[in-house]
Amino acid sequence: MMFRRPGRIDAYLARSVLLATLATWAVLLGFDLLTAMVNELDEVGEGGYTLSHAFLYTLYTLPRRAYELFPTTALIGTVLGLGGLAARSELTAMRAVGLSRLRIGLGALGSSGLLALLMVVNAETAAPAGEQQAQLVVNSAKAGDVVMARVSGLWAREGNLFLNARDGQRREADGESWTELQGVRLYEFDDGGRLLSLAQAQSAEHRDGQWRLKDVRRSRFGERSVEVETHASQAWTTALGDEVVSSAVARPRYLSSAELQRNISYLERNGLDAKAFENAYWARWFYPLNVVVLCLSALPFAFGSLRSGGFGKRLFIAIVIGIAYLLAQRLVVSLSDVYRFDARLAYLLPPLGLLAVCWGLFARRE
């Protein structure tokens, strides 16, 4: 009587998979946070970095960690949820009332699909904001009077000097790595809060242990006058170290889609390599497809091997599928970097390949 109406079956399937997914998510996320906290303990004592700072840093990274773990979590949750139903012969009962295996599989994907969409929203809002706050906690604690934030671009303070940069990234070429900032403004105040000078530079680079501003326009404010000077290039002497600023320049995969697109446009306009940002950008858009395909990959096993196996066997199958898929995807993405083909194709080939294999197995069992 419980399976008379298809709507009830869909809800029952979604609920079974959801409970297994949430339990798996809690365990994996708990282990990840614990490992991160242990790693942060090694940093306690540097500058003003305390145990409470380490705890706050780990807590702020929670949204990003949940986003990264969810595809694997969804796969394991689907395998465990459907495996439990198969072991109790409930999937067989659903088949007996006329439901196809494909219909059962699609019903089980309902909760995973909704959670995937929630994680997409999380990646555009809470995750980037959390990463920015996490870096703020670390930098403000370790760097003393240097304060970092990324609300309207990148902000830093050193005494009475304030730095604002529209954007920035780490760059590498010929074995050298350096920090580059774009759209730089330097505000210098006196102890009374009066603005002494304003410098605007197209970019700033930190190389060979020093900062250098490019295309600089500096305005010095007197009591009744303003002096303006321009320089094609000018050294900037400051105690603001490269390691502090570079830690505030988030890695591409920690940025929102809008920030990624802005960086891609800037790099392409200036003839620079934007591949790292393109990979992170398209990984964001193919994220829901990866989740759906990974969950679908559990269906061929749900009506056979999962029914006769225990918890350990189901977990092993999920881990093998997940690891194989992630390795294949990373390989194809790396090949796209080497052979310079479209990142969209690199993120599309692995899910299509896994989908074709699973569909072949599913059709044969059907």
Side-chain angles (χ1 to χ4, degrees):
M1 296 295 292
M2 180 175 57
F3 304 121
R4 180 177 299 174
R5 293 172 54 191
R8 292 184 178 179
I9 298 178
D10 293 336
Y12 184 74
L13 287 166
R15 176 177 174 274
S16 299
V17 172
L18 176 63
L19 292 177
T21 300
L22 292 178
T24 304
W25 211 356
V27 173
L28 293 181
L29 195 54
F31 277 118
D32 192 36
L33 290 172
L34 182 61
T35 302
M37 185 64 187
V38 171
N39 291 336
E40 285 301 307
L41 292 179
D42 295 334
E43 308 293 328
V44 172
E46 293 187 12
Y49 197 63
T50 64
L51 182 62
S52 61
H53 290 119
F55 178 78
L56 278 176
Y57 170 83
T58 306
L59 186 63
Y60 279 130
T61 62
L62 175 61
R64 187 259 301 173
R65 296 177 188 279
Y67 172 83
E68 293 178 344
L69 285 173
F70 180 69
T72 304
T73 299
L75 170 62
I76 296 176
T78 302
V79 170
L80 296 181
L82 291 179
L85 296 178
R88 298 190 296 270
S89 299
E90 292 182 70
L91 296 184
T92 303
M94 295 178 191
R95 292 278 289 148
V97 298
L99 291 182
S100 67
R101 294 180 179 182
L102 180 60
R103 171 59 191 278
I104 294 174
L106 293 177
L109 288 178
S111 57
S112 298
L114 291 175
L115 288 176
L117 292 177
L118 180 62
M119 285 298 98
V120 170
V121 175
N122 170 47
E124 298 300 313
T125 54
E131 283 298 320
Q132 293 164 16
Q133 289 298 318
Q135 294 302 325
L136 175 61
V137 168
V138 173
N139 291 316
S140 61
K142 291 183 179 180
D145 61 347
V146 178
V147 180
M148 309 297 298
R150 293 199 62 191
V151 180
S152 55
L154 171 68
W155 283 92
R157 175 186 175 185
E158 182 200 351
N160 292 331
L161 182 68
F162 290 80
L163 162 71
N164 174 234
R166 184 184 68 251
D167 221 325
Q169 67 268 331
R170 294 289 295 177
R171 293 190 59 195
E172 296 183 5
D174 301 326
E176 183 183 5
S177 176
W178 69 93
T179 300
E180 180 181 279
L181 304 176
Q182 295 89 39
V184 178
R185 289 184 175 88
L186 297 174
Y187 303 88
E188 184 181 3
F189 296 86
D190 62 16
D191 293 335
R194 186 175 67 89
L195 182 63
L196 298 178
S197 68
L198 167 62
Q200 296 174 286
Q202 182 178 349
S203 63
E205 293 182 353
H206 189 279
R207 291 192 180 189
D208 302 324
Q210 68 174 356
W211 286 97
R212 180 158 292 276
L213 306 174
K214 296 184 178 181
D215 295 329
V216 187
R217 177 184 174 88
R218 185 182 299 274
S219 302
R220 301 185 184 276
F221 303 97
E223 290 292 338
R224 297 178 178 274
S225 63
V226 178
E227 297 180 6
V228 179
E229 56 188 45
T230 59
H231 304 273
S233 179
Q234 187 179 47
W236 174 33
T237 303
T238 177
L240 189 63
D242 173 59
E243 67 282 354
V244 177
V245 176
S246 62
S247 64
V249 178
R251 285 174 281 183
R253 64 195 182 103
Y254 295 164
L255 302 176
S256 67
S257 295
E259 291 174 312
L260 289 171
Q261 186 61 57
R262 192 161 56 244
N263 277 277
I264 292 171
S265 299
Y266 166 79
L267 293 171
E268 289 179 344
R269 283 197 311 270
N270 291 275
L272 303 175
D273 185 15
K275 194 64 176 176
F277 290 91
E278 289 178 350
N279 288 341
Y281 179 79
W282 290 114
R284 190 70 50 78
W285 289 104
F286 281 95
Y287 182 88
L289 178 62
N290 286 331
V291 173
V292 171
V293 170
L294 281 172
C295 293
L296 286 174
S297 66
L299 298 184
F301 305 95
F303 298 93
S305 57
L306 294 183
R307 182 175 60 184
S308 58
F311 176 85
K313 182 178 180 180
R314 299 169 200 156
L315 186 60
F316 176 76
I317 290 175
I319 291 174
V320 168
I321 295 173
I323 291 177
Y325 179 78
L326 292 177
L327 290 177
Q329 188 174 65
R330 289 179 182 177
L331 175 62
V332 176
V333 172
S334 298
L335 289 175
S336 75
D337 291 341
V338 174
Y339 294 103
R340 315 304 295 180
F341 61 85
D342 198 322
R344 288 170 290 188
L345 183 61
Y347 281 104
L348 185 61
L349 287 177
L352 288 181
L354 181 59
L355 193 60
V357 171
C358 294
W359 182 261
L361 293 173
F362 193 83
R364 188 176 64 179
R365 290 181 182 273
E366 184 71 22

